[in-house]
């Protein structure tokens, strides 16, 4: 019977040692006698020893004495997750570039539209062009960074990290990957919750700043 099987009494648990990872990865995982830990070996190459079981039967268990050093989860705080958190808001500093567009729309509604030359000058302003280019490309770069972060967690032997495909929701403005990633890494490696709080903090800060800017611009337009 393998460690962690359901329905096993505490007294029948196998002894502490290196066993095949129950997640199915080609590696061994340290069983402390009661629970799976976050220590791994790669590849799984521990020899097999015979151990006496109930009724005089024998079963094979991997030897724990020859295993290599545990692999640490050092990719939880990688630069890729920082980019995943911050890149979606890269266009925020260029938000002021939308003011001329809103002003032109207000003048047109008031019956005093800008000339075609003035409208073209607004559309070709460097700040407005940068806003649209960054706003379009940043989510796709974020998705790539999420993929690199996910691969880093896999290379660090984190069991079943939160999948990078959730980062496609960045296109809709939802930071699902970084939140899910924080919860999973904290559950399996007991670290990484700073990603959750940083994601929420940045999201709230940018949202509040956007609301303040919108009300400020609307108030000034009415003057």
């Amino acid at each position: 019977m393998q460690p962690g099987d359901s329905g096993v009494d505490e007294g029948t648990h196998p002894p502490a040692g290196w066993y095949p990872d129950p997640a199915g990865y080609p590696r061994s995982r340290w069983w402390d006698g009661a629970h799976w830990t976050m220590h791994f070996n790669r590849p799984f190459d521990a020899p097999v020893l015979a151990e006496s079981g109930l009724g005089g039967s024998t079963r094979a268990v991997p030897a724990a004495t020859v295993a290599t050093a545990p692999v640490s989860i050092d990719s939880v705080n990688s630069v890729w997750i920082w980019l995943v958190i911050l890149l979606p808001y890269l266009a925020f500093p260029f938000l002021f570039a939308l003011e001329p567009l809103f002003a032109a729309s207000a003048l047109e509604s008031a019956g005093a539209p800008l000339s075609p030359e003035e409208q073209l000058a607004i559309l070709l302003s460097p700040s407005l062009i940068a806003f649209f280019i960054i706003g379009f490309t940043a989510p796709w770069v974020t998705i790539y960074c999420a993929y690199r972060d996910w691969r880093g967690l896999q290379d660090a032997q984190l069991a079943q990290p939160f999948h990078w495909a959730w980062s496609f929701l960045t296109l809709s403005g939802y930071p699902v990957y970084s939140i899910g990633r924080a919860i999973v890494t904290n559950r399996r490696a007991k670290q990484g919750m700073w990603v959750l709080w940083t994601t929420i903090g940045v999201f709230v800060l940018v949202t509040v700043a956007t609301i303040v800017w919108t009300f400020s611009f609307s108030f000034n337009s009415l003057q």
Side-chain angles (χ1 to χ4, degrees):
M1 185 170 292
Q2 292 296 324
D5 287 347
S6 59
V8 180
D9 295 333
E10 189 69 23
T12 62
H13 279 165
W18 296 100
Y19 292 87
D21 189 352
Y25 291 104
R27 64 190 179 187
S28 59
R29 186 172 180 179
W30 181 257
W31 169 260
D32 64 8
H35 305 92
W36 289 111
T37 69
M38 294 309 300
H39 298 299
F40 304 96
N41 287 323
R42 51 181 180 181
F44 177 68
D45 57 0
V48 174
L49 299 179
E51 178 184 290
S52 297
L54 297 176
S57 61
T58 60
R59 58 191 178 90
V61 296
T65 57
V66 297
T68 57
V71 177
S72 61
I73 309 300
D74 58 356
S75 294
V76 174
N77 303 323
S78 69
V79 66
W80 297 110
I81 190 59
W82 276 108
L83 293 174
V84 169
I85 295 172
L86 299 177
L87 278 177
Y89 309 107
L90 191 61
F92 178 76
F94 296 92
L95 197 62
F96 69 90
L98 298 178
E99 292 186 10
L101 282 180
F102 292 145
S105 178
L107 289 174
E108 185 173 0
S109 300
L114 298 176
S115 65
E117 292 79 9
E118 292 173 323
Q119 295 179 10
L120 183 61
I122 293 175
L123 294 176
L124 295 181
S125 63
S127 57
L128 187 62
I129 293 174
F131 175 82
F132 284 114
I133 291 177
I134 295 175
F136 176 78
T137 58
W140 294 102
V141 178
T142 301
I143 293 171
Y144 171 76
C145 292
Y147 168 75
R148 291 297 303 269
D149 176 71
W150 176 75
R151 286 298 302 269
L153 293 175
Q154 281 195 320
D155 293 341
Q157 299 295 294
L158 181 71
Q160 298 178 327
F162 194 71
H163 203 277
W164 68 274
W166 287 99
S167 63
F168 277 96
L169 291 177
T170 302
L171 298 172
S172 301
Y174 301 109
V176 175
Y177 173 77
S178 54
I179 293 176
R181 188 251 203 206
I183 295 173
V184 171
T185 54
N186 181 69
R187 181 183 303 165
R188 295 174 182 166
K190 305 303 180 185
Q191 55 180 309
M193 281 301 289
W194 67 268
V195 174
L196 174 64
W197 305 123
T198 302
T199 299
I200 294 176
V202 173
F203 180 82
V204 170
L205 179 63
V206 172
T207 301
V208 171
T210 301
I211 293 174
V212 170
W213 176 86
T214 301
F215 276 101
S216 175
F217 176 77
S218 300
F219 178 79
N220 293 332
S221 298
L222 296 176
Q223 299 302 314

